[in-house]
Amino acid sequence: MNAKTIRSGSVRRGLRGTLTGAAVIAALLAATACQPAGGEDKGAAPTSAAPSAGSPSDGAGSKTAEPTGDSGTGTGDGGPSKDATGDSGETGGGNGTAYQDCEVTDLNTAVELQDPAGETPRHFLLTVTNGTKTPCVLNDAPMIRLRAGNDAPIVETLGEPDTEPVVVEGNGKAYAGLYVFGNDEGGEAQYDQSDRFTATLVAGEGTELGGTLIFDLPDRLDSVSYDDAARVTGWGGTEGLVMRPINQL
C-alpha cells in the first residue's frame, strides 16, 4: 500500500512538472512570434531605401533626358545656322549672274547688211556666237569703232542700253544693231570709209574691259561710209529687239 501510495504521488508530481514546463515553452513561443523577423526592433531605421520615382536605379531609369540646349542645328548654341557660302549670286566680275563674262576668244562674229541692194549701206546686224557649251554674259553695249586704232572715236549708243546682262547660252547667239551713215547729200563729197568694225566688250561692274572683237564686212562690200550719225544698240537676245530701233534711223 505504502509502496503504491508513494508511486501514485510521484506520478502526479511528474505530470504537474511536465505540464508546467509545457506551459513555459508555449509562453516563450508566443512571445517569439510577436517579434519582427530576424529579431529586429520595430523602432530601428530601415537599412535600405527604395529608389525614388524619378531616379534611375540600374541604367534603365527614366526615359526623359535632361535638356542640353541643342536646337538640332549643330551649332550647340540654339541659334540659327549661318550661310556657309555667303554667295550673293554674283561672280567676281560683278555682272549679277551665275556666269562669267564672255571671252573674246570664245566668240565667233558675223555681220549682215539690212539694206536692200542698190541702197547706201547703213544698217547692220552684228552677231556673236558662243563657241563653248558653257553660258557666258555680255554687258551693256559693245564699244564700236569704225576706224582702225584704239584712238578712233567710239560710236554713241542709241538710247540707254538695257542694264540687265545678256546671257549667251552654250552655242547660242546674241545681237547688236549698228547704224553707220546718216548723210544724204549727193555729189562728189568724200566721207570716212571703214573696211571692218571693231567691238570692245564691257566687262562686269568694277573690272576692266573684256577684249576686242573684229567684225568683217559682208561679202561684196569692200568698205562702207560712216559719219557722226552712227549709233549702236545694247546687246540683245533676238534680232528684232536690236534692229527695230536701228531701222527707224
Side-chain angles (χ1 to χ4, degrees):
M1 289 289 296
N2 291 335
K4 290 181 180 180
T5 301
I6 293 171
R7 189 178 299 116
S8 175
S10 298
V11 172
R12 284 196 294 268
R13 285 196 298 272
L15 288 173
R16 192 181 300 119
T18 299
L19 292 174
T20 300
V24 171
I25 291 172
L28 289 174
L29 291 174
T32 301
C34 292
Q35 292 181 352
E40 293 181 355
D41 188 357
K42 290 182 180 179
T47 57
S48 63
S52 62
S55 302
S57 59
D58 58 358
S62 171
K63 292 183 180 180
T64 303
E66 290 294 326
T68 62
D70 185 3
S71 65
T73 62
T75 62
D77 58 1
S81 59
K82 295 182 179 179
D83 183 3
T85 64
D87 186 4
S88 66
E90 294 190 358
T91 66
N95 63 33
T97 77
Y99 307 109
Q100 297 291 334
D101 289 345
C102 294
E103 300 284 346
V104 293
T105 53
D106 295 332
L107 299 176
N108 301 313
T109 62
V111 179
E112 183 180 343
L113 177 63
Q114 300 293 293
D115 299 301
E119 293 189 8
T120 302
R122 305 172 188 271
H123 306 84
F124 295 89
L125 175 67
L126 308 182
T127 303
V128 293
T129 303
N130 182 1
T132 73
K133 296 180 180 180
T134 303
C136 66
V137 171
L138 294 172
N139 304 286
D140 300 324
M143 298 174 61
I144 298 291
R145 290 181 172 89
L146 302 177
R147 190 175 71 231
N150 291 334
D151 59 343
I154 297 172
V155 173
E156 292 185 28
T157 302
L158 180 61
E160 291 294 330
D162 193 345
T163 57
E164 290 296 323
V166 174
V167 177
V168 187
E169 297 295 336
N171 300 314
K173 300 179 184 296
Y175 308 91
L178 177 64
Y179 179 77
V180 297
F181 186 69
N183 196 327
D184 288 328
E185 295 180 6
E188 298 180 357
Q190 297 292 316
Y191 302 100
D192 292 325
Q193 299 291 308
S194 175
D195 62 356
R196 67 183 59 188
F197 310 137
T198 64
T200 300
L201 302 182
V202 178
E205 181 181 356
T207 63
E208 298 178 355
L209 300 179
T212 299
L213 297 168
I214 296 177
F215 291 84
D216 294 323
L217 295 180
D219 293 340
R220 300 186 301 276
L221 279 179
D222 295 327
S223 66
V224 294
S225 298
Y226 69 90
D227 59 16
D228 57 6
R231 294 291 185 271
V232 66
T233 68
W235 293 109
T238 65
E239 298 179 20
L241 181 64
V242 299
M243 289 309 302
R244 274 194 295 271
I246 288 294
N247 287 334
Q248 294 174 7
L249 298 177

